[in-house]
Amino acid sequence: MIELYTSPTPNGWKASVALEEMGLPYEVKAIDLSSGDQKKPEFLVLNPNGRIPAIVDRDANNLTVFESGAILIYLAEKSGKLMPSDIAGRMNVIQWVMFQMGGVGPMMGQANVFFRYMEEKIPTAISRYQNEGRRLFEVLDGHLAKNEYLAGDYSIADIANWCWVRTHSWSGISIDGLDNLSRWMGAIAERPAAQKGIVVPYDITAVLKGEKDEDEFKKSARKMVTK
C-alpha cells in the first residue's frame, strides 16, 4: 500500500492521476496547506522542503519519495507502466517530465502568485510569467502537431504536463489557437483514471472555474505565498 500525502494542486494531481492510471492501491493523506500542515515536523520527515506531494511505500520497507517528478518516475518503475523500458524511450519520457518540472510548473506557479494571489498587482511580473507560460504551451503545441502524445505512447510525461496545463485559465494564460494542445488536453481529460485523480483529495473544479469560493481559496493561497 502506498500512502499519498497530497493537496488539490497540479503537483498533487500528478501523483494521484498516475496511481489511478497504474492501478496501484493507495491511501490518501490530505495535507491542509492553508493551515501549514506541510511545515509540521511530522511532514518534514517525509519532505524536508515542506511541499506536497510525498509518498510512503509501505510495501517497499517504508520507502519515502518526495518531488512530484521523482514520484512519477518511481511509480512508473514500480508498476512497469507509462514509461518504456529501453533507454531511448525512457529518456524521451523523462525529458518531457523535466520540461514540466523546470518550465511549465514554475512559470505557471509564478503566474498564479502574481496574477491571483498577491494583493499588489505588478503588471510586468504578471505579463512576464504569463508570456513565458504561453511560450512553453506553444512548444508543447508544436510537438503535439506531429505526435499524439508527448513521448510516443501515453506516459507519465503527459500526466506531468497535463495536470498543470489544464489549469491555464487560473494562471491567466490563453490557449487560443493552440489546436494541438487542446486536442491533447481533451483526450487526457476523457480518461477515467485522469478524472478520478484530479478530485484527490477533494474536488476543486468549481473553484478553478471561478464558480465557487474563489475568494476564500485565494485568501488561503495568499497566506502560503507570503510565508
Side-chain angles (χ1 to χ4, degrees):
M1 176 68 72
I2 291 174
E3 293 180 353
L4 171 61
Y5 295 79
T6 192
S7 297
T9 73
N11 284 335
W13 296 326
K14 285 153 64 175
S16 51
V17 169
L19 285 162
E20 291 289 346
E21 290 281 7
M22 296 167 187
L24 294 171
Y26 68 103
E27 180 180 356
V28 176
K29 305 287 188 179
I31 299 297
D32 186 348
L33 300 180
S34 63
S35 297
D37 286 354
Q38 75 281 13
K39 301 297 185 182
K40 294 178 179 178
E42 56 267 32
F43 185 79
L44 293 175
V45 171
L46 306 178
N47 182 357
N49 194 35
R51 297 288 188 273
I52 64 94
I55 63 170
V56 178
D57 191 343
R58 297 300 184 190
D59 298 326
N61 197 30
N62 296 329
L63 176 66
T64 300
V65 185
F66 63 87
E67 285 294 331
S68 56
I71 290 171
L72 287 177
I73 294 169
Y74 174 75
L75 294 176
E77 292 181 347
K78 178 182 176 69
S79 67
K81 298 178 180 179
L82 301 185
M83 186 161 65
S85 58
D86 65 289
I87 188 65
R90 280 173 53 81
M91 290 304 102
N92 193 23
V93 168
I94 291 173
Q95 69 186 358
W96 284 106
V97 172
M98 295 302 107
F99 176 85
Q100 182 276 305
M101 294 289 292
V104 173
M107 294 303 102
M108 292 186 70
Q110 290 300 314
N112 291 343
V113 169
F114 289 101
F115 178 62
R116 289 279 179 181
Y117 307 147
M118 295 291 287
E119 292 183 351
E120 179 186 1
K121 301 305 179 186
I122 306 173
T124 53
I126 294 171
S127 63
R128 188 265 186 266
Y129 291 112
Q130 288 179 338
N131 290 342
E132 181 61 8
R134 170 71 188 202
R135 186 192 71 79
L136 293 168
F137 286 5
E138 291 171 357
V139 172
L140 291 170
D141 185 73
H143 183 70
L144 290 166
K146 302 176 182 178
N147 300 274
E148 182 178 7
Y149 294 108
L150 291 176
D153 295 333
Y154 179 71
S155 71
I156 59 171
D158 298 290
I159 293 173
N161 284 276
W162 178 75
C163 286
W164 273 96
V165 175
R166 65 179 292 271
T167 68
H168 65 91
S169 60
W170 188 258
S171 304
I173 302 174
S174 171
I175 59 169
D176 290 350
L178 303 182
D179 295 341
N180 306 301
L181 186 70
S182 295
R183 183 268 307 162
W184 168 83
M185 289 172 60
I188 299 174
E190 292 177 359
R191 298 179 68 90
Q195 294 171 8
K196 292 178 181 178
I198 59 173
V199 296
V200 174
Y202 50 85
D203 189 359
I204 65 164
T205 301
V207 174
L208 290 174
K209 291 181 178 180
E211 299 170 351
K212 181 180 178 182
D213 295 328
E214 183 175 351
D215 288 340
E216 287 304 313
F217 184 86
K218 288 194 290 186
K219 286 178 183 177
S220 296
R222 191 176 296 126
K223 290 179 183 177
M224 295 311 305
V225 301
T226 55
K227 286 185 177 179

